[in-house]
Amino acid sequence: MKPNHKGRARLFKNPVLEKMSRTHIALPISIFIAIATGLIYYGITYSFINVIEAIGFFFLGWLIFTLIEYLAHRYVFHMSTDTPLKARLQYLFHGNHHEFPKDKDRLAMPPIVSILYASAFFFIFKLIFGQFVFGVVAGLLFGYAMYLFVHYAVHAYAPPKNSLKTLWVHHSIHHYKDPHVAYGVSSPLWDYILGTMPKKAK
Ligand SMILES: [Zn+2]
Ligand SMILES: [Zn+2]
Ligand SMILES: [Zn+2]
């Protein structure tokens, strides 16, 4: 798919669905930071977790998010497109972003969808972590907000002149050189661990 820096994808014939497929990035970022803050506040206020547990499980949840981000990007967003249905879904979820990387309203799922995912994760992680779910899911949602922020910044702004520049370089390689490496957006951690770091250009 050749990247195009002008224009946008038409995802649905239906104009209402088409409109709903566009999301201003500030909306999900604010929603998920608010929910993450609320979970920590609720968990501590009602003594489900203490402050130390909140901090520890928050970072665990954030780490878990970075793995989910990596796996979803590698195996769902870049799934094989050997049937017309899979090709349609791949384009809907992610292919449109590779064709129009600078279309800023298609960098996040519609909040209705991501809130449903967040609720499902809350119930799954409640089964695994019990009352610590308040810390874990707060970290998970904060991780998602950070991912959205980094992804937006990388596509919308020039790279900064500090070490954060590596995030810009990493994601440009994924878009403009090889879409089968550099799947991590908010950090290259899982690319290191799971062997999808880009080969050093020399
Ligand atoms: Zn991107
Ligand atoms: Zn991609
Ligand atoms: Zn792709």
Side-chain angles (χ1 to χ4, degrees):
M1 183 84 59
K2 234 177 115 227
N4 195 331
H5 284 171
K6 286 221 165 68
R8 50 170 68 161
R10 174 93 198 206
L11 294 182
F12 297 100
K13 278 199 199 94
N14 181 308
V16 179
L17 280 181
E18 175 69 7
K19 182 115 209 313
M20 280 170 51
S21 72
R22 311 192 64 80
T23 305
H24 192 291
I25 199 76
L27 186 64
I29 290 179
S30 334
I31 290 173
F32 288 109
I33 287 184
I35 297 177
T37 310
L39 285 170
I40 293 285
Y41 178 81
Y42 188 91
I44 292 176
T45 307
Y46 293 95
S47 302
F48 290 108
I49 43 173
N50 65 39
V51 174
I52 301 293
E53 289 161 350
I55 294 170
F57 282 97
F58 178 90
F59 281 104
L60 177 65
W62 190 356
L63 183 67
I64 293 172
F65 174 80
T66 62
L67 179 60
I68 294 173
E69 174 202 316
Y70 175 91
L71 295 175
H73 190 188
R74 180 168 176 180
Y75 295 108
V76 182
F77 294 169
H78 287 278
M79 64 190 181
S80 74
T81 51
D82 48 0
T83 68
L85 176 66
K86 281 174 161 181
R88 165 76 176 140
L89 288 176
Q90 198 277 334
Y91 188 77
L92 193 62
F93 291 152
H94 193 61
N96 77 83
H97 171 58
H98 274 265
E99 189 175 8
F100 299 102
K102 293 199 179 282
D103 181 357
K104 297 189 189 74
D105 285 344
R106 288 253 171 75
L107 296 176
M109 284 182 269
I112 300 258
V113 179
S114 42
I115 287 170
L116 283 174
Y117 275 111
S119 319
F121 276 116
F122 186 89
F123 287 107
I124 294 165
F125 284 113
K126 174 121 194 334
L127 295 176
I128 304 170
F129 293 102
Q131 73 222 59
F132 302 126
V133 70
F134 290 99
V136 174
V137 172
L140 195 81
L141 299 184
F142 180 79
Y144 180 58
M146 284 304 296
Y147 153 78
L148 290 178
F149 177 74
V150 169
H151 196 202
Y152 182 87
V154 162
H155 284 294
Y157 306 117
K161 291 183 179 65
N162 56 42
S163 60
L164 284 176
K165 190 183 170 200
T166 57
L167 295 174
W168 269 250
V169 174
H170 198 65
H171 197 55
S172 315
I173 291 171
H174 175 73
H175 272 284
Y176 302 109
K177 265 196 176 152
D178 182 357
H180 303 116
V181 298
Y183 292 105
V185 175
S186 65
S187 99
L189 173 68
W190 297 101
D191 288 302
Y192 268 115
I193 296 174
L194 299 173
T196 46
M197 277 304 275
K199 300 209 170 37
K200 279 266 181 316
K202 249 273 139 110

